Amino acid sequence: MPDNGASRAQQEHEHIPTSSRSAASGAPATATPTAVGAPAASMTTAPGATPTTAGAQAASMNTAPGLPATATARRAGILVTLVLGGLTALPPLSMDMYLPALPEVTDSLHAPASTVQLTLTACLTGMALGQLVVGPMSDRWGRRTPLLLGMIVYVIATAICAVAPTAELLIGFRLLQGLAGAAGIVISRAVVRDLYDGDEMARFFSTLMLISGVAPVIAPVIGGQVLQFTDWRGIFVVLTVIGVLLTLVVWKWLHETLPVSQRHTGGIGDALRTMRGLLADRVFTGYMIAGSLAFAALFAYVSASPFVVQEIYGASPQTFSLLFGINSVGLIAVGQINGKLLVGRVSLDKALGFGLAVISVAAVALLLMTSGVFGEVGLLPVAAGLFVLMSAMGLAMPNTNTQALMRTRHAAGSASALLGTSQFLIGAIASPLVGIAGEKTAVPMAVVQVVCALASMACFLLLCRPWRSTAGTRKPAEG
């Protein structure tokens, strides 16, 4: 579809539909269950109309006598944040609690480090592929049902991981765990897209980063402490309990956010046409790939750091957990600076470009240090480089997601699926590459980070073209 000449500023506040199946504006109003923690039929919205903030939606609900609308809006907004924060925290919990145990798993299952690292790759691959299925499902059947089914399967798969007798079986059920856990990832982003728009969406993604960022901080610490009392299997027992609790929270408090009038009615062909339309948009694809490559640089660190910190530099699991937590605090802090200070004052593209530049510089510095250019360096300089790289992710990740999702209104589930699938597939490819030269060198990790960071910057500049005052790109094709 040819460009209509709208400015980039306009596109940041106007959705580009990806399907022609939106309800006609003249249709009668229908019940729109869009608030979390509120009765599903307490609001009415014209089909095809998308409220811009959860607070605005909550304020329009019928409230109990004596309860101000602003209080209801605040309560609903808090519930949205907590529930979606829990869903986005589940993947880092699943990955990071397990990290301090990787060396122990290699001994327990008598498997080489490269095989044990495949348990991370399998989980990431499952999360990537699962999103391609769950995303379109949520556009057709709503957000709630696919999410609950995914959470139930996640709990079962995680429980089986706790008793896996071989590395091969553990890899298989980590794959299933990832496939099921994908529901929380993709649907949480789609719910944000249902409820928020423009700068508000960018701020909410940064708020989610605060909550979900706590998971990487505490997950390795919890994992390290669990290893004080039991073996690596106890970590999966803890994850099973967390999965059960989160499933109950979703069942009780997460109401439907996608009205029936805005759901897709087609089958697989319709979903494929919608995704093809999204990928045909050069700018959407640019943000998607740039964010995915930045995520791969992050996951290269996640996958390699247990061996780099513990095997190469001789740190204990507790020291590794502390360093990992400090890096996660940096990511959270920068994410909050992005959401609270930069959004609305600095364009999202400028913040994103600066974040990618810092990631690239930090990755190059790590490569120089680990390859011996500066001589023998200790853990502290390497940890400082990793801290800078991780912190800059607080600018890259929320802004790539926001810029991509602002280009679509009707197919938020499919768009979220493409974003997540791209991130996890590229991350899964990066994971085994960091250990290709064995456990005694950090150079492969740094090489992967440099390549991914520079490629991310190149995609951002060449495909998104942030310097253009007008978006001379195609809109997503209608499905």
Side-chain angles (χ1 to χ4, degrees):
M1 180 184 298
D3 179 43
N4 64 356
S7 67
R8 180 175 292 273
Q10 289 173 323
Q11 290 191 1
E12 288 183 355
H13 296 281
E14 296 178 3
H15 306 290
I16 301 176
T18 57
S19 174
S20 59
R21 276 172 296 279
S22 296
S25 59
T30 58
T32 307
T34 52
V36 176
S42 61
M43 291 187 294
T44 58
T45 303
T50 302
T52 56
T53 65
Q57 292 172 336
S60 66
M61 296 186 297
N62 295 326
T63 60
L67 181 64
T70 54
T72 304
R74 187 178 301 110
R75 183 180 64 185
I78 292 173
L79 284 172
V80 169
T81 305
L82 292 178
V83 175
L84 298 186
L87 292 174
T88 55
L90 190 59
L93 282 175
S94 301
M95 304 298 294
D96 298 341
M97 279 184 62
Y98 179 62
L99 293 179
L102 283 178
E104 181 180 320
V105 175
T106 61
D107 296 332
S108 174
L109 299 181
H110 308 289
S114 59
T115 300
V116 173
Q117 283 177 328
L118 287 177
T119 62
L120 297 176
T121 301
C123 189
L124 268 183
T125 303
M127 290 180 180
L129 298 179
Q131 291 182 70
L132 285 178
V133 177
V134 177
M137 284 176 60
S138 72
D139 282 338
R140 182 174 182 183
W141 290 299
R143 315 301 187 199
R144 180 177 163 85
T145 299
L147 176 58
L148 285 172
L149 291 175
M151 292 300 302
I152 292 171
V153 176
Y154 172 88
V155 169
I156 295 172
T158 306
I160 296 176
C161 285
V163 297
T166 65
E168 291 75 18
L169 193 61
L170 180 61
I171 291 171
F173 279 97
R174 285 283 278 175
L175 177 65
L176 181 60
Q177 183 191 43
L179 288 168
I185 304 168
V186 67
I187 291 178
S188 62
R189 270 197 303 261
V191 169
V192 173
R193 187 64 188 89
D194 291 340
L195 300 178
Y196 291 89
D197 187 24
D199 288 346
E200 289 295 325
M201 182 163 54
R203 292 190 181 97
F204 194 86
F205 273 128
S206 294
T207 302
L208 278 187
M209 184 166 287
L210 172 62
I211 296 178
S212 63
V214 172
V217 173
I218 66 174
V221 176
I222 295 174
Q225 295 307 311
V226 170
L227 292 177
Q228 296 267 37
F229 303 98
T230 183
D231 60 8
W232 61 271
R233 299 181 188 276
I235 293 176
F236 285 106
V237 173
V238 174
L239 284 173
T240 301
V241 174
I242 293 173
V244 170
L245 294 176
L246 187 55
T247 303
L248 293 176
V249 168
V250 169
W251 175 76
K252 182 173 178 61
W253 280 300
L254 183 63
H255 296 277
E256 186 57 64
T257 61
L258 184 67
V260 175
S261 61
Q262 294 181 12
R263 298 179 189 178
H264 289 199
T265 58
I268 295 177
D270 177 74
L272 292 177
R273 282 191 297 272
T274 299
M275 290 185 177
R276 183 181 62 190
L278 290 166
L279 292 175
D281 173 29
R282 172 171 50 77
V283 178
F284 174 88
T285 302
Y287 287 122
M288 179 186 73
I289 297 177
S292 299
L293 288 167
F295 180 83
L298 182 151
F299 196 75
Y301 156 74
V302 170
S303 181
S305 57
F307 297 99
V308 171
V309 174
Q310 297 180 69
E311 300 295 331
I312 298 177
Y313 293 99
S316 66
Q318 286 69 37
T319 300
F320 163 74
S321 300
L322 176 63
L323 292 176
F324 197 94
I326 291 173
N327 291 342
S328 298
V329 169
L331 186 150
I332 294 170
V334 174
Q336 292 312 292
I337 291 173
N338 177 72
K340 305 298 184 183
L341 299 179
L342 299 183
V343 172
R345 296 180 176 89
V346 179
S347 74
L348 299 183
D349 278 337
K350 287 182 179 179
L352 171 57
F354 180 76
L356 294 178
V358 173
I359 292 170
S360 300
V361 171
V364 171
L366 284 167
L367 179 58
L368 294 176
M369 285 188 288
T370 57
S371 61
V373 172
F374 300 131
E376 194 73 24
V377 297
L379 176 59
L380 186 59
V382 173
L386 291 172
F387 175 80
V388 174
L389 185 145
M390 280 282 285
S391 298
M393 294 291 173
L395 293 176
M397 301 309 298
N399 290 329
T400 52
N401 286 335
T402 299
Q403 291 287 65
L405 286 174
M406 277 199 295
R407 298 186 65 82
T408 176
R409 166 187 287 177
H410 185 61
S414 296
S416 178
L418 287 174
L419 290 172
T421 297
S422 176
Q423 289 177 3
F424 283 97
L425 278 181
I426 295 178
I429 293 172
S431 174
L433 294 178
V434 301
I436 199 170
E439 306 171 25
K440 303 302 181 182
T441 175
V443 171
M445 176 192 74
V447 169
V448 170
Q449 289 174 331
V450 168
V451 171
C452 291
L454 295 179
S456 177
M457 178 64 77
C459 286
F460 173 60
L461 295 176
L462 296 177
L463 297 180
C464 302
R465 300 177 186 177
W467 61 86
R468 294 171 65 100
S469 58
T470 59
T473 62
R474 296 173 59 192
K475 299 177 186 178
E478 294 186 358

